[in-house]
Structures are given as structure tokens and as C-alpha cells.
Amino acid sequence: MQFIAAGALARKATETAKRFPFAILSAVTATTAAVLLVNSQSNSALSHLLMAGMLGLPLVTALELMAKRHAQSGGARFAIQAAGPAALLGPSRP
């Protein structure tokens, strides 16, 4: 079994965070909401945030891969990636 050096692990984590920033943000959001939801008494706002974070993971990953394939400029790629969280966090009907 091979172990990875701490420097190599930090470098790979930084590369991943730069490539998938919205996926990292979605994962952190879902994890934080889940931890807070454990100790709360049926908080619907936290439940909605957890679901948005969980749905966001595959959505923003797919959008990043699509943007990498189709968009030429960095601004267009960012706009495509930002559309996912904007759609998930947009207004919802009661």
C-alpha cells in the first residue's frame, strides 16, 4: 500500500478546488446543513439547504465538464458554472 506525501495531497486538493469550486462549495453547504440539522427540531430551511447542496454536487460537476468542452473564454465558463447554484438557490414556491 502506497502512501501519498502531504505536499502532493495538498497540491492535488488545490488543483481540484480550482477546477471544481462550485462543487466544493456545494459539498461544504450540504455538509454544514446536515451537521446543523442533526441537532435541530425539524428545521425546514436547513432541510431545503441540504437538498440544494446535495442536488448541486452532480449539477455543478456536469456544468463544469460541459463548460470545459464548449466554452472558450474563462468568463463564459464561469457563467455556465454559476448558473447551477443560481438555479438551485433561486426563489421557490411555498
Side-chain angles (χ1 to χ4, degrees):
M1 177 178 197
Q2 289 184 331
F3 291 103
I4 300 173
L9 183 62
R11 189 173 53 251
K12 291 291 186 181
T14 303
E15 289 173 14
T16 302
K18 285 180 182 177
R19 184 171 178 197
F20 299 105
F22 289 106
I24 300 294
L25 180 65
S26 183
V28 168
T29 301
T31 302
T32 303
V35 168
L36 293 174
L37 196 57
V38 167
N39 291 327
S40 73
Q41 302 283 338
S42 70
N43 188 338
S44 66
L46 284 175
S47 297
H48 291 283
L49 191 61
L50 174 62
M51 293 301 166
M54 290 173 58
L55 287 171
L57 278 169
L59 175 65
V60 296
T61 302
L63 287 174
E64 163 58 28
L65 296 175
M66 183 185 78
K68 184 175 175 128
R69 175 178 252 185
H70 296 294
Q72 300 299 322
S73 70
R77 287 179 63 191
F78 183 81
I80 291 171
Q81 291 177 47
L88 286 173
L89 296 176
S92 63
R93 290 184 235 174

